[in-house]
Amino acid sequence: MDNIIVIVGAAVVGLAIGFAIAKMMEKGKASKTIANAKKEAANIIKEASKEGESIKKDKIFQAKEKFLELKAEHEKVIINKDKKIAEAEKRTRDKESQVSSELAKNKKLNDQFQQKIKEIEYKSEILDKKQSEVEKLHKSQVQQLEVISGLSAEDAKAQLLESLKETAKSDAMAYLQNTLEEAKLTAQQEARKIVVNTIQRIGTEEAVENCVSVFNLESDDVKGRIIGREGRNIRALESATGVEIIVDDTPEAIILSCFDSVRREVARLSLHRLVTDGRIHPARIEEVVKKTEKQINEEIAEIGKRTVIDLGIHGLHPELIKAVGRMKYRSSYGQNLLQHSREVAKLCGVMAAELGLNPKLAKRAGLLHDIGKVPMAEVEVETPHAILGMQWAQKYGEKGEVCNAIGAHHDEIEMTTLISPIVQVCDAISGARPGARRQVLDSYIQRLKDLEDIAFGFNGVQKAYAIQAGRELRVIVESEKVNDDKAAELSFEISQKIQTDMTYPGQVKVTVIRETRSVNVAK
């Protein structure tokens, strides 16, 4: 019994000791696990801190770059605004200086005028006194003569007039003739002097317009892209612009040929855009040509505005300003029409000032005298350009003097103001100087215009272009109105009309183009 108790006690003690040892081992393992977790947590926190610092530095650097970029743009805007303000201040100072100078000049002239008035009044008083003294002496002498001769003053006067009547009449006629001859000679000399002084004071250029433009290329490889597969690109470009495009062996250049300067400029700018963009195909060509035509119209309006501002002409109707801008792309006998009109305006202003007339009104008439040469519609071409220009000026509210000067500068109507002969003379001066005009070119351009006008006279014609120096007329018709059979018939009728109505060297080829397009939009 005692042994069993001892064994049981020993077993209890062993279990207690084993449980204690197990607890101690478990506690050591947990402590080690906690220490490892703390170490890993510290490492993670350290790495997160480093990554946060790196991200923070990157964000700060990006913010600084953005700030510097915004600062540079802001400074650029400020510099531009400062520049504009400085230019405006300079113009204001110049205007103030000019006004001050004009005021000083007017004050000086006013003082001189007042001084002249005083001198004239003083001389008038002296003349009145002398006149009264002369009248008294005359009466006294008459009385003495009557006493001596025994005749009254009236009887003596009658005898004297009777005896000297014939002599006085012949002397008066001779004097009148000499005076008239001297007046004519003096007037001619003064007129020549004014014309010569006016011509000397106006600078001119001897520039003559041509009918071709050279488009330079960076390399000859671009020529193939402009021509396109089977020539479709160059045909599309010629059809859209009405300009003949000549691609030959000339290195790094192609030639644009057309009598119409507007079409030639549209073709040149369109080619430049297409070559720069690199996409050259018929649809792209039509899109670029339309955009270019819109740009040219805006440029025409801007040219008109700059011209009237340069000449100091104000209050001109917007339609007349556009007509002035269109003059840049027209020529008169080879002379650029805008350059010619500016020159005539300056000549008119100087000559009117010399003659004591209104120089601003004369400038206005000189600038507008040839606006009839830039018709706003084809139906207006038949009217003489002087009459057409006068009608436009009347329509858009110009003064009667300006309208008469425009209509009478080629003697289509009677001159009723002094500005009209000035405009006529200045027009002749500008056109007659050496190198200003070329008669052959103008007749050539007129022939090409007549060719196109004949085509437009037929129903269904949409576009007509005279190319190949007038040896070919290319006509584009509306496919809805003209079928294939009608196209052939139209080509024959146009050729017969040209043959009967025009005089031309060689032959004229008439090409009628009919194109059908089916267009749908995918949405």
Side-chain angles (χ1 to χ4, degrees), residues 154-260:
E154 294 297 328
D155 294 337
K157 187 185 297 184
Q159 291 181 7
L160 181 61
L161 288 174
E162 188 66 27
S163 62
L164 297 177
K165 184 175 181 180
E166 293 298 327
T167 304
K169 184 177 181 180
S170 60
D171 290 344
M173 291 298 295
Y175 177 75
L176 179 61
Q177 187 67 26
N178 293 334
T179 303
L180 287 174
E181 292 295 332
E182 184 179 355
K184 288 181 181 178
L185 180 61
T186 305
Q188 290 177 355
Q189 290 175 348
E190 288 296 322
R192 291 193 188 101
K193 179 181 177 182
I194 291 173
V195 171
V196 171
N197 287 339
T198 303
I199 294 173
Q200 289 175 344
R201 289 168 61 181
I202 302 296
T204 59
E205 298 179 3
E206 296 184 5
V208 179
E209 293 288 300
N210 53 29
C211 291
V212 296
S213 297
V214 178
F215 182 76
N216 296 315
L217 303 172
E218 294 181 357
S219 66
D220 287 336
D221 297 337
V222 184
K223 289 183 178 179
R225 293 166 56 197
I226 292 174
I227 295 172
R229 183 180 299 174
E230 298 179 356
R232 64 176 185 174
N233 289 345
I234 195 170
R235 285 199 302 271
L237 194 56
E238 288 181 342
S239 297
T241 60
V243 174
E244 182 183 0
I245 301 175
I246 302 172
V247 182
D248 53 16
D249 296 334
T250 306
E252 298 180 356
I254 61 177
I255 297 173
L256 309 177
S257 176
C258 181
F259 71 94
D260 192 325

Side-chain angles (χ1 to χ4, degrees), residues 255-424:
I255 297 173
L256 309 177
S257 176
C258 181
F259 71 94
D260 192 325
S261 302
V262 178
R263 290 189 208 160
R264 205 164 62 243
E265 184 67 9
V266 168
R268 188 187 68 80
L269 292 177
S270 300
L271 261 179
H272 177 72
R273 287 185 175 180
L274 290 167
V275 171
T276 304
D277 182 52
R279 294 176 295 165
I280 306 177
H281 51 83
R284 176 66 177 163
I285 287 170
E286 291 184 1
E287 178 186 351
V288 170
V289 168
K290 288 180 180 178
K291 289 182 179 179
T292 306
E293 288 176 347
K294 182 179 179 182
Q295 176 188 341
I296 289 293
N297 290 331
E298 293 174 354
E299 182 181 344
I300 283 171
E302 185 63 27
I303 289 169
K305 291 178 183 178
R306 287 202 304 267
T307 300
V308 297
I309 290 172
D310 291 344
L311 294 174
I313 297 173
H314 305 287
L316 205 62
H317 194 278
E319 290 298 327
L320 293 180
I321 292 177
K322 290 180 183 177
V324 172
R326 283 197 296 274
M327 288 181 183
K328 180 182 178 182
Y329 299 104
R330 292 291 184 271
S331 62
S332 174
Y333 297 97
Q335 184 182 23
N336 182 270
L337 193 57
L338 180 59
Q339 178 184 335
H340 166 66
S341 298
R342 287 173 64 102
E343 190 176 308
V344 171
K346 292 177 181 178
L347 288 167
C348 288
V350 174
M351 195 171 290
E354 291 288 339
L355 295 172
L357 302 175
N358 187 342
K360 291 185 177 180
L361 205 62
K363 271 188 181 181
R364 198 181 191 97
L367 178 65
L368 299 177
H369 80 284
D370 268 348
I371 56 171
K373 289 186 178 181
V374 284
M376 300 178 185
E378 295 295 334
V379 296
E380 297 173 338
V381 174
E382 298 299 327
T383 308
H385 75 273
I387 302 299
L388 186 58
M390 180 185 69
Q391 292 173 355
W392 288 352
Q394 291 172 343
K395 179 180 178 182
Y396 296 119
E398 289 299 315
K399 293 184 178 179
E401 297 94 326
V402 176
C403 297
N404 181 257
I406 295 171
H409 78 276
H410 283 314
D411 293 324
E412 274 86 0
I413 63 172
E414 184 181 355
M415 297 182 182
T416 58
T417 64
L418 291 176
I419 294 177
S420 300
I422 291 177
V423 172
Q424 187 181 52

Side-chain angles (χ1 to χ4, degrees), residues 462-474:
Q462 185 178 9
K463 296 179 182 178
Y465 301 124
I467 59 176
Q468 295 285 349
R471 291 189 295 272
E472 180 177 354
L473 179 63
R474 190 165 294 175

Side-chain angles (χ1 to χ4, degrees), residues 422-439:
I422 291 177
V423 172
Q424 187 181 52
V425 170
C426 293
D427 180 40
I429 292 172
S430 175
R433 60 182 175 79
R437 293 186 171 184
R438 192 160 57 198
Q439 300 283 348

